[in-house]
Amino acid sequence: MENEFYLDPHSLDEEWLKQPEFAAKYAKLQADATRSLDLAKNELKLVEATLAEGMRLNPADYNIKKVSEAAISSSIPKQAIYQDANKAVIDAKHELAVLQAAMMAIEHRKKALENLVTLHMADYYSSPREPKTRTDTMSSNKLTRQRSVRERNG
């Protein structure tokens, strides 16, 4: 994924053409990750409800001596099926966080493109020129005046 964020400052036109497609790709991945997280959360709730129901019906199967909400609540996280469902939620949250970071990086990439174009428009990448000095400007103005005088007289 890191190489996708590289900007070639000498191909700004191509980079700008890729930017919308790039952003759309990651927006879809982020939406898919959000969906996966929602599905994992729903699965976790279902597992929790199923375990709670089973514990109420058959407390001995879960080593619960006295059925109470506190006993059920503390026994649910100990069950392997709950731990698997909870891990799926944690993994989905991680995937979503990574894609949210990618979307932020895409915004930074866009801003970098804008700044590179601004630098390009300001001739940042042009070849170096010797700066004009005040005496060069004055000499140039003097020559222009002398030419004008000669043209009028001659």
Side-chain angles (χ1 to χ4, degrees), residues 24-47:
K25 172 186 168 183
Y26 279 92
K28 183 183 181 324
L29 289 172
Q30 183 179 9
D32 291 345
T34 301
R35 181 179 182 274
S36 294
L37 176 59
D38 290 343
L39 291 172
K41 285 179 178 180
N42 284 340
E43 181 63 23
L44 181 62
K45 285 180 185 177
L46 180 62
V47 165

Side-chain angles (χ1 to χ4, degrees), residues 62-86:
Y62 298 94
N63 294 324
I64 297 176
K65 293 177 176 64
K66 181 182 176 197
V67 178
S68 68
E69 288 305 311
I72 291 171
S73 293
S74 66
S75 295
I76 289 174
K78 297 175 186 173
Q79 307 306 311
I81 191 169
Y82 177 87
Q83 291 171 4
D84 291 343
N86 194 44

Side-chain angles (χ1 to χ4, degrees), residues 54-144:
M55 290 175 183
R56 284 187 188 88
L57 294 174
N58 301 307
D61 292 349
Y62 298 94
N63 294 324
I64 297 176
K65 293 177 176 64
K66 181 182 176 197
V67 178
S68 68
E69 288 305 311
I72 291 171
S73 293
S74 66
S75 295
I76 289 174
K78 297 175 186 173
Q79 307 306 311
I81 191 169
Y82 177 87
Q83 291 171 4
D84 291 343
N86 194 44
K87 184 180 180 314
V89 170
I90 291 168
D91 291 345
K93 282 181 181 179
H94 172 75
E95 183 66 24
L96 181 58
V98 168
L99 289 166
Q100 287 171 334
M103 289 302 292
M104 190 180 306
I106 288 169
E107 283 301 313
H108 288 289
R109 183 181 193 274
K110 178 184 172 194
K111 188 66 177 167
L113 271 169
E114 291 170 350
N115 289 333
L116 284 169
V117 167
T118 300
L119 288 172
H120 179 72
M121 297 298 290
D123 286 335
Y124 181 81
Y125 295 107
S126 64
S127 55
R129 289 180 242 150
E130 195 168 316
K132 285 187 174 184
T133 63
R134 182 167 164 75
T135 54
D136 290 342
T137 306
M138 288 171 45
S139 298
S140 173
N141 289 340
K142 186 176 181 181
L143 287 173
T144 305

